[in-house]
Amino acid sequence: MLHLRLITPAERTDEVVRLIGRTVGTTHLVVLPGAARDPAGDVVMCDVAREAGDELIGALREFDLDRTGSIAVENIDLSLSSRADRAEEEAPGEGTDAVLWEHLADASHEESTLSVTYVALLAVATMLAACGVMLDNAILIVGAMAVGPEFGPLAGISTALVRRAPHLVWRSLWALLAGFALAMVLTAGFSLLLDGLGLFKESMVRASRPNTAFIWQPDWMSFVVAFLAGIAGTLSLTSAKSGALIGVAISVTTVPAAANAAVALSYGDYSQTWGSTWQLLANLGGIVLAGTLTLLAQKWFWARQRAVTPLG
């Protein structure tokens, strides 16, 4: 269930209440006339089944409440109410399958911003991966994958493509490419520093490294794994099951590929640099393609659901 807290201009409250009342899957309606001070207006609260939430939020935005008032949405972790149970039963579909497009767009926008924190996390992850590839240590590689924040911009690109928002595509793409470029430059400097300290050696780059050699030797399986990971990651975002994102992070070799490309370039090994770059591009492309197709499939599925069982 979702909890909605609305601030409505007094002249629109009756319309909002009627909309909530005729929307299947809503319950626990509360109206507090004149309770809001900034902006001034009435406070309307209700609970709604997750599978009915997206359509209700969209209808509320058509009332311009996002500009003249406020729409706040929270997840309800526990609701002990027979009315809530009945509302979830009446709403079509399953809550875990529902996509809250406004929430997805907001989350993607926030996570696809080229911020200092984003670049720092990506750079640290890439440096960790550099240590992993130089030491041929798979554990360090897995740790670096888990730290990397690159799935945010990738999800942002897929979401923006499905919502047909070109400016958001470019925003996410900029965060992705600029972030990796900065992280790789910093990692190349980091590898030169460790070389000067005697911790990295050129012979480590030339070694066979059986545990991590796959990073600069891309093949079609690299794309297949990235595609499957993109499906899983997108489903975890849209169903609010974020725990699956950790599994997604450690199944693709974006950060390790960027790290190996940077280290190999610092030692003049252009063969490994190009191989790692192609590995990086294959993974990024596979995730974006899978995310976009998954969102399109979910959009089609819910359109069919609403056609069969209208919510209001």
Side-chain angles (χ1 to χ4, degrees), residues 78-239:
L78 177 63
S79 179
L80 303 178
S81 167
S82 59
R83 289 180 177 272
D85 294 340
R86 186 161 59 249
E88 288 187 318
E89 291 173 0
E90 292 173 351
E94 295 293 332
T96 55
D97 296 332
V99 180
L100 296 177
W101 290 99
E102 295 297 337
H103 177 269
L104 181 62
D106 184 68
S108 299
H109 182 274
E110 181 180 346
E111 294 181 11
S112 60
T113 301
L114 188 65
S115 63
V116 173
T117 301
Y118 168 76
V119 173
L121 280 173
L122 189 56
V124 169
T126 308
M127 292 177 191
L128 281 172
C131 295
V133 296
M134 291 296 277
L135 298 174
D136 196 31
N137 189 315
I139 295 176
L140 287 176
I141 294 294
V142 171
M145 290 175 173
V147 172
E150 73 278 8
F151 193 81
L154 292 169
I157 293 173
S158 297
T159 303
L161 287 172
V162 173
R163 293 174 66 89
R164 299 178 183 178
H167 65 289
L168 295 180
V169 173
W170 290 115
R171 176 192 179 96
S172 300
L173 189 61
W174 168 247
L176 187 69
L177 298 181
F180 267 111
L182 288 170
M184 291 170 72
V185 168
L186 291 172
T187 301
F190 172 74
S191 67
L192 291 174
L193 173 63
L194 292 193
D195 181 84
L197 295 173
L199 299 176
F200 279 5
K201 298 178 182 178
E202 186 172 356
S203 60
M204 299 168 72
V205 177
R206 311 294 181 184
S208 59
R209 290 181 284 163
N211 292 324
T212 56
F214 68 93
I215 292 173
W216 67 88
Q217 298 173 357
D219 54 25
W220 277 105
M221 281 306 300
S222 301
F223 181 84
V224 170
V225 170
F227 188 86
L228 294 175
I231 295 174
T234 303
L235 290 175
S236 71
L237 283 179
T238 57
S239 66

Side-chain angles (χ1 to χ4, degrees), residues 259-301:
N260 198 76
V263 172
L265 182 63
S266 69
Y267 283 107
D269 189 331
Y270 301 116
S271 175
Q272 283 196 42
T273 300
W274 281 115
S276 301
T277 300
W278 280 114
Q279 178 77 271
L280 175 62
L281 294 176
N283 278 267
L284 296 178
I287 292 172
V288 170
L289 177 61
T292 303
L293 293 177
T294 300
L295 290 175
L296 286 172
Q298 290 177 297
K299 189 175 183 179
W300 174 83
F301 172 78

Side-chain angles (χ1 to χ4, degrees), residues 229 231-237 239-251:
I231 295 174
T234 303
L235 290 175
S236 71
L237 283 179
S239 66
K241 293 186 178 296
S242 58
L245 282 176
I246 297 298
V248 172
I250 62 177
S251 63

